[in-house]
Amino acid sequence: MFSVCLRIVQVSLTVGITESSPIAFAHFAVLLLEIGDLSQAHRLGSLALQLAQELNVYGQSSMIIGIVQQYIAWTSEPLQSIAESHLFGYNTGMQAGDIGSSLLNYNFFVSTSFYSGKHLDVVRKISGDFIQELMRQKQKWFVNCTALIHLQALTLIEGPDFDESIYPKHVPSFHEINSTVAQGNRTNLTKHNGVYQLMRAFYFRQYDEMSRAVNILDDFAKKSFTPLKVNVLFGIFYEGLVSFCMARRTKEESWVVKGRNSLSFMKKWQTSSSWNFENKALLLEAELMSLQRNHDQATELYLDSIKSAKNHKFIHEEGIAHELAGYFYHDRGFEADALQSFNQAIRCYNAWGAKAMSQRLVDHIQSDFNLSQSLTARTQVRASIENSLAADALAIQVANIGMSPSPLEGQTKRPHDSD
């Protein structure tokens, strides 16, 4: 594929631009990114999008958008805007009759919406609707990967042991997906599944699962994840968080090494896109400084990570930073600061829609947290938590009322039906 695209690029530069040039430029940009030439990759990707519009290559536009936005744009553009670009790519493909590229873009829209911190009720709805539409059309290309996102959202909302009576019948279960993975013939699904398992283990402090975590960064170094995509980057971020958590728990140096490697990787991409990766690099470094008992540096890094996540609209990662800062303060005996951080984490998790994560932290404070303060102080803490939950519950209701409908809603004609 890349050799053909390179030949078309050469012809375009020597003879002239043709209708095949934009798609060739897009694929070649992915190759440039893989070899580390970020600036040229972004330049060529942007050129591909521009030429597709100027040449009016309507039938290719959706594919070009999918390639550039998923594999290149995240290096410099906010994830939130990339999600919307994929939605545009979906609509463009539907109008042009390019069903494959259209579905690819919508699959990327769902996953990027999740990673960028979209409210989980929205993620749950758009992923569920997409799976239902795929099944209706008998096009099962992205069913399992989208089901992983749907199940991830459902777990964060309802908890790891959610009631199966609320489970959509058209969505494959974790058991069904794991059975498919066990067959060993779905490499891409296996990698996605490993990333989401790692994230769930961290979200719900499942230490046994953490200890069996996949080696995402090592696998990427072996080129098994080529080309680099957003889910891999987030997997490496969570691998770093898990590694520092396990290093603190087990005192094993091997976990520290893994955490450091993840931190180095995040710092590399932070230079490319501070919007997408600054808060992640800062949080991993804060965890490392905390582990090394560099308390002053850790304090500043936690605060900087919180500020960066808030400024860049990653509400879920702002919550994670608040929670980890809370553990840091608690370990040092600063209970008032710890409680304040935990309260802010609860606020963020509720705003994200992660009710199960919020409840886990409430339970931790009320049951496991050693409140050495007076009864009055305990009552104030409990009241503060309850007020936070009540206020955010109202905010969630407002968000749900204004929830954007899935683009698949109201589709009265199937994409392959003739006009």
Side-chain angles (χ1 to χ4, degrees):
M1 169 64 80
F2 284 125
S3 60
V4 173
C5 291
L6 178 58
R7 179 57 182 159
I8 297 175
V9 170
Q10 290 174 329
V11 170
S12 299
L13 295 176
T14 55
V15 179
I17 299 296
T18 69
E19 290 187 353
S20 300
S21 298
I23 192 70
F25 286 162
H27 281 292
F28 189 55
V30 176
L31 178 61
L32 289 174
L33 183 63
E34 185 181 343
I35 64 176
D37 194 343
L38 271 65
S39 61
Q40 289 298 331
H42 187 264
R43 179 182 175 190
L44 207 58
S46 299
L47 179 60
L49 292 172
Q50 181 181 345
L51 286 175
Q53 184 175 6
E54 291 180 356
L55 296 175
N56 196 25
V57 286
Y58 200 54
Q60 300 179 24
S61 293
S62 182
M63 180 181 293
I64 294 168
I65 291 170
I67 294 170
V68 173
Q69 294 298 328
Q70 181 66 12
Y71 297 106
I72 300 166
W74 57 260
T75 63
S76 59
E77 299 175 17
L79 280 182
Q80 294 86 348
S81 67
I82 291 173
E84 296 306 312
S85 295
H86 280 307
L87 186 56
F88 176 75
Y90 162 80
N91 289 322
T92 299
M94 293 294 280
Q95 293 168 8
D98 184 358
I99 306 304
S101 298
S102 181
L103 296 178
L104 180 70
N105 269 288
Y106 203 81
N107 173 257
F108 289 154
F109 165 66
V110 172
S111 61
T112 308
S113 294
F114 172 72
Y115 285 118
S116 62
K118 196 81 168 178
H119 196 285
L120 291 170
D121 283 341
V122 177
V123 174
R124 179 180 176 180
K125 177 174 175 52
I126 61 177
S127 58
D129 286 353
F130 184 46
I131 293 169
Q132 192 168 26
E133 183 68 8
L134 289 170
M135 299 295 284
R136 184 180 71 84
Q137 295 185 23
K138 296 181 170 41
Q139 300 196 36
K140 301 181 180 180
W141 307 341
F142 308 110
V143 167
N144 283 327
C145 285
T146 307
L148 284 173
I149 300 169
H150 185 88
L151 294 171
Q152 196 82 339
L154 193 60
T155 302
L156 289 165
I157 295 169
E158 303 292 342
D161 302 316
F162 58 82
D163 183 359
E164 293 190 3
S165 65
I166 65 171
Y167 191 82
K169 301 304 181 185
H170 62 277
V171 178
S173 66
F174 277 130
H175 176 73
E176 291 170 323
I177 293 173
N178 288 331
S179 296
T180 303
V181 168
Q183 295 173 9
N185 58 354
R186 296 288 299 276
T187 304
N188 191 49
L189 178 63
T190 301
K191 294 170 182 174
H192 279 275
N193 193 41
V195 170
Y196 289 120
Q197 285 178 338
L198 177 70
M199 294 171 73
R200 287 195 303 277
F202 177 77
Y203 288 148
F204 294 101
R205 301 299 185 267
Q206 298 168 332
Y207 297 107
D208 288 343
E209 293 296 324
M210 287 188 197
S211 66
R212 295 191 292 268
V214 292
N215 295 311
I216 299 169
L217 187 53
D218 287 346
D219 287 344
F220 172 73
K222 297 173 185 174
K223 296 295 182 181
S224 63
F225 274 100
T226 303
L228 185 59
K229 294 194 295 184
V230 171
N231 71 302
V232 178
L233 284 156
F234 273 79
I236 293 171
F237 169 55
Y238 280 94
E239 184 174 63
L241 293 177
V242 164
S243 297
F244 287 132
C245 179
M246 291 301 295
R248 190 175 288 109
R249 187 176 178 85
T250 66
K251 313 300 182 186
E252 294 177 5
E253 183 63 23
S254 59
W255 288 110
V256 180
V257 173
K258 286 185 67 174
R260 284 180 177 273
N261 291 339
S262 295
L263 171 58
S264 297
F265 200 83
M266 283 300 116
K267 281 188 171 181
K268 170 188 174 182
W269 291 108
Q270 176 188 349
T271 61
S272 173
S273 174
S274 60
W275 184 286
N276 291 332
F277 302 110
E278 180 185 68
N279 71 296
K280 300 170 183 62
L282 288 168
L283 185 55
L284 289 175
E285 190 168 8
E287 285 286 272
L288 177 61
M289 292 299 103
S290 172
L291 195 63
Q292 295 178 340
R293 299 190 179 280
N294 293 328
H295 296 149
D296 290 343
Q297 285 183 271
T299 301
E300 291 300 319
L301 287 164
Y302 281 122
L303 294 175
D304 288 344
S305 177
I306 290 166
K307 180 179 179 181
S308 177
K310 183 175 182 178
N311 289 343
H312 298 145
K313 316 301 182 186
F314 293 111
I315 187 68
H316 52 328
E317 292 167 7
E318 182 188 347
I320 291 170
H322 275 299
E323 181 176 355
L324 294 179
Y327 295 130
F328 168 71
Y329 290 133
H330 178 247
D331 288 344
R332 297 178 63 203
F334 300 146
E335 292 192 347
D337 291 328
L339 289 168
Q340 183 178 10
S341 294
F342 288 143
N343 215 8
Q344 289 300 314
I346 291 168
R347 175 188 60 80
C348 292
Y349 293 154
N350 284 333
W352 184 29
K355 293 183 287 187
M357 287 184 68
S358 174
Q359 189 59 53
R360 171 186 59 76
L361 194 50
V362 170
D363 292 343
H364 171 71
I365 295 171
Q366 294 181 337
S367 301
D368 301 329
F369 196 83
N370 182 23
L371 288 174
S372 60
Q373 304 172 35
S374 66
L375 178 60
T376 301
R378 297 185 191 204
T379 303
Q380 290 175 345
V381 168
R382 186 176 294 107
S384 177
I385 293 171
E386 290 173 351
N387 289 338
S388 175
L389 290 171
D392 288 314
L394 178 60
I396 291 169
Q397 290 178 8
V398 173
N400 289 341
I401 292 172
M403 184 188 298
S404 300
S406 166
L408 295 170
E409 282 187 356
Q411 182 115 3
T412 57
K413 184 175 68 174
R414 301 188 186 201
H416 8 259
D417 289 347
S418 58
D419 289 333

